Structure formats: structure tokens, C-alpha cells
Amino acid sequence: MKRESLEEFYKIKDLPAPDGLHNGIGHFNVFRIEDCMKPGKDVQYARRDYYKISLIHGNNRYHYADKSIEINGTTLIFFNPQVPYTWESISGDVTGFFCIFTSSFFSEGVRNNLGELPMFVPGSKPSYILDNGQEANVAGIFTKMLDEIGTDYAFKYDLLRSYLNEIIHVALKTEPAESLYDHPSASSRITAVFNELLERQFPIETPVQRFVMRSASDFAESLTVHVNHLNRAVKSTTGKTTTKLISERVLAEAKALLKHTDWNISEISNSLGFEEAAHFNNFFKKQTAITPSGYRNV
């Protein structure tokens, strides 16, 4: 599956790439959507090497991992490098703003880790519908970003980082996030680390990449806990078994690879850790009631 670099972003948008794309403080830039639209050119389904936040008006459809979300109105949507995405306009009239930034830019002088924020966690809800007041607030922040990015102010990136945090907090206040707290128990801490280890194996980007930690025992060994202890902790925290969570994540990746790559079934099967393509077919059909080939051709 294609992965778009910062250099490719500027080339695709036919925009001049700033000097020092990979400097020590990371990269940040902000744009009006309408200034970057190219008639007849679709946004490619791909993972990006950068984070993106968009404030977009109109009727639009987002394809995000294996899900599609159709929204009519004003949406604040968050994209991260772990999840492939694209979007299409249904109304045809697309306006708004977006900013792109790297993890190193955000973390410079900021306490929170991007991976702790719920809108950037793979599998979480990435979009937030805004009312008129929230829309005016976020549009105003983006406008301040656009005004500031072109100045010679010595501390402009500190200011831009504060604007970025302000947008994130608008979303967090719109829908309070249960993941932004200290884990109340040992079970929740073990579950959080299990989820991190699981997500660390994704995305699958080439047919030779292989998903290797496939069982509860594999994760328990890595966490140096007994497998029964891991299973109890995960079940008590999530209501699902460890095996179920692993299967759901493998299935989500399988769907994305089937829909958005030209890899054959054997390549996808192998990359997801199945010894035989027949095992992958049986797994996929048991989960979805349809074969991988049938899903690809829907």
C-alpha cells in the first residue's frame, strides 16, 4: 500500500516545499482546502507520513481504514500516519482548512503524547460534527494559523503549536475522551500495553511484512505475565477476549488490504501470519460470512 511522504504531498498539491522539511523541530503547515483542490484529481487512498487535521464544509464521504463515513455539515476530522484514508466530495463544493504536522513538531515542548489522544488512536472515532459556534471558533483558529505562518516572528512555531492544541481541545470537549486518564487498575494498564503491542505490528505496508504476534500466549510472553492473567485483565477491561481483539484487528487490516491493494490473496494471507491461504479464507469467511475474494469484488 502506498505511503505518502511530506515531499510527495507538496508535489501532488503542486506547492513549493518549504526548506528543512525534516529539521529538528518537525514540520507544520496550514492551508485553505479550496486553494489545494485540483479539478478531476482524486485524493489517493494511502497512509501518510504526517498527521492532518481538517475543518471541512459540505457533504463528504471519508474512507478511513476499512470504514466509510458520510457526513453532511461542518466536520473536524483527524488523520494519523497509522491509518490509510481518502475522502470524496458528494456536494462538489468543498471549502475549509487543514493543517499537516509531524509528531516531532507536536511533541516539542508539549507534555501530551499524540498516541494518547483519542482522535489519533487507530480504531477510534476520527470525526467530530461541529455546531455553528464551534465552527466559528475553529475557523478562527485556522485563520490565525494562516496569518501567523507567513510572519517572521521568532516564536511563531510555539504559537502555532498552541493553536494546534486549542483545536484538539475543542474536539476533546465536544466528546470527552475516556482514554485521557491515569489507568485506575493493573488490569487496565496491562490492557493498554497489550493494545499498544497489537497496534505496533500495523499497518502492513508490503507483502513481505509479517504479523508475528498472533496469539494471547505471544503477547503474554512479551509482557512477561501468565497468559491467564492477561486474558482476565483484557476481559475485565474491554468485555472481549484477547483472541477476539486480535481477530478483530487482523480482520480490519485484511479488509483494508483487500480493498486498497492489488496483492493476491496468498500475499495478504502470508503477511497476516496465516500458514496457508485456506486458513485465511476460513478465518475471513467465519468472521464476515463472505470469502476474501468475494469481499474484494463487492
Side-chain angles (χ1 to χ4, degrees), residues 6 13 15 101 111 115 140 153 164 173 240 245 268 277 290:
L6 281 168
K13 299 297 185 185
L15 296 167
F101 58 96
R111 183 184 64 183
Y153 177 48
L164 182 60
K173 289 170 71 175
K240 297 180 180 180
L245 291 174
I268 294 174
I290 189 172

Side-chain angles (χ1 to χ4, degrees), residues 215-233:
S215 70
S217 296
D218 293 333
F219 285 92
E221 182 178 353
S222 180
L223 292 168
T224 63
V225 299
H226 194 280
V227 65
N228 291 341
H229 181 52
L230 173 63
N231 287 333
R232 284 194 299 270

Side-chain angles (χ1 to χ4, degrees), residues 186-198 200 213 215-227 229-231 233-234 242:
S187 291
S188 64
R189 283 194 294 272
I190 290 173
T191 302
V193 178
F194 159 75
N195 282 323
E196 182 183 347
L197 287 176
L198 179 59
R200 194 180 295 173
M213 294 175 63
S215 70
S217 296
D218 293 333
F219 285 92
E221 182 178 353
S222 180
L223 292 168
T224 63
V225 299
H226 194 280
V227 65
H229 181 52
L230 173 63
N231 287 333
V234 171
T242 312

Side-chain angles (χ1 to χ4, degrees), residues 163-223:
Y163 291 151
L164 182 60
N165 270 281
E166 193 173 350
I167 290 174
I168 288 171
H169 282 289
V170 168
L172 293 177
K173 289 170 71 175
T174 300
E175 185 166 317
E178 63 265 9
S179 59
L180 284 183
Y181 60 89
D182 292 332
H183 297 292
S185 67
S187 291
S188 64
R189 283 194 294 272
I190 290 173
T191 302
V193 178
F194 159 75
N195 282 323
E196 182 183 347
L197 287 176
L198 179 59
E199 287 299 333
R200 194 180 295 173
Q201 297 185 83
F202 298 100
I204 304 293
E205 297 184 322
T206 70
V208 297
Q209 185 178 342
R210 192 170 173 84
F211 176 59
V212 292
M213 294 175 63
R214 301 188 67 249
S215 70
S217 296
D218 293 333
F219 285 92
E221 182 178 353
S222 180
L223 292 168

Side-chain angles (χ1 to χ4, degrees), residues 43-262:
V43 178
Q44 187 172 9
Y45 182 88
R47 296 179 175 94
R48 274 76 178 176
D49 283 341
Y50 50 86
Y51 290 82
K52 179 179 179 181
I53 303 176
S54 294
L55 176 69
I56 189 165
H57 311 290
N59 190 196
N60 300 283
R61 184 179 295 120
Y62 305 93
H63 305 286
Y64 193 86
D66 64 322
K67 302 178 179 66
S68 293
I69 307 168
E70 185 172 326
I71 298 172
N72 191 12
T74 299
T75 312
L76 184 60
I77 187 162
F78 297 80
F79 302 102
N80 70 72
Q82 286 73 46
V83 180
Y85 66 87
T86 185
W87 67 273
E88 57 182 310
S89 171
I90 299 173
S91 61
D93 184 19
V94 183
T95 60
F97 307 86
F98 72 93
C99 65
I100 61 172
F101 58 96
T102 58
S103 177
S104 55
F105 173 82
F106 180 85
S107 61
E108 181 75 18
V110 176
R111 183 184 64 183
N112 289 333
N113 186 304
L114 274 171
E116 298 173 353
L117 297 172
M119 64 278 291
F120 289 126
V121 174
S124 66
K125 176 184 174 183
S127 58
Y128 299 77
I129 302 294
L130 304 185
D131 61 29
N132 290 339
Q134 293 164 332
E135 175 188 353
N137 182 20
V138 175
I141 298 170
F142 270 109
T143 300
K144 288 190 286 187
M145 285 179 170
L146 283 168
D147 291 340
E148 191 61 44
I149 195 74
T151 71
D152 295 325
Y153 177 48
F155 302 105
K156 72 177 180 181
Y157 287 108
D158 292 328
L159 186 53
L160 288 164
R161 196 175 293 110
S162 71
Y163 291 151
L164 182 60
N165 270 281
E166 193 173 350
I167 290 174
I168 288 171
H169 282 289
V170 168
L172 293 177
K173 289 170 71 175
T174 300
E175 185 166 317
E178 63 265 9
S179 59
L180 284 183
Y181 60 89
D182 292 332
H183 297 292
S185 67
S187 291
S188 64
R189 283 194 294 272
I190 290 173
T191 302
V193 178
F194 159 75
N195 282 323
E196 182 183 347
L197 287 176
L198 179 59
E199 287 299 333
R200 194 180 295 173
Q201 297 185 83
F202 298 100
I204 304 293
E205 297 184 322
T206 70
V208 297
Q209 185 178 342
R210 192 170 173 84
F211 176 59
V212 292
M213 294 175 63
R214 301 188 67 249
S215 70
S217 296
D218 293 333
F219 285 92
E221 182 178 353
S222 180
L223 292 168
T224 63
V225 299
H226 194 280
V227 65
N228 291 341
H229 181 52
L230 173 63
N231 287 333
R232 284 194 299 270
V234 171
K235 180 71 172 179
S236 66
T237 304
T238 68
K240 297 180 180 180
T241 66
T242 312
T243 300
K244 177 66 172 175
L245 291 174
I246 296 170
S247 295
E248 287 178 347
R249 187 61 184 87
V250 171
L251 180 64
E253 191 72 6
K255 287 179 176 179
L257 294 174
L258 287 165
K259 283 295 187 182
H260 303 291
T261 75
D262 58 1

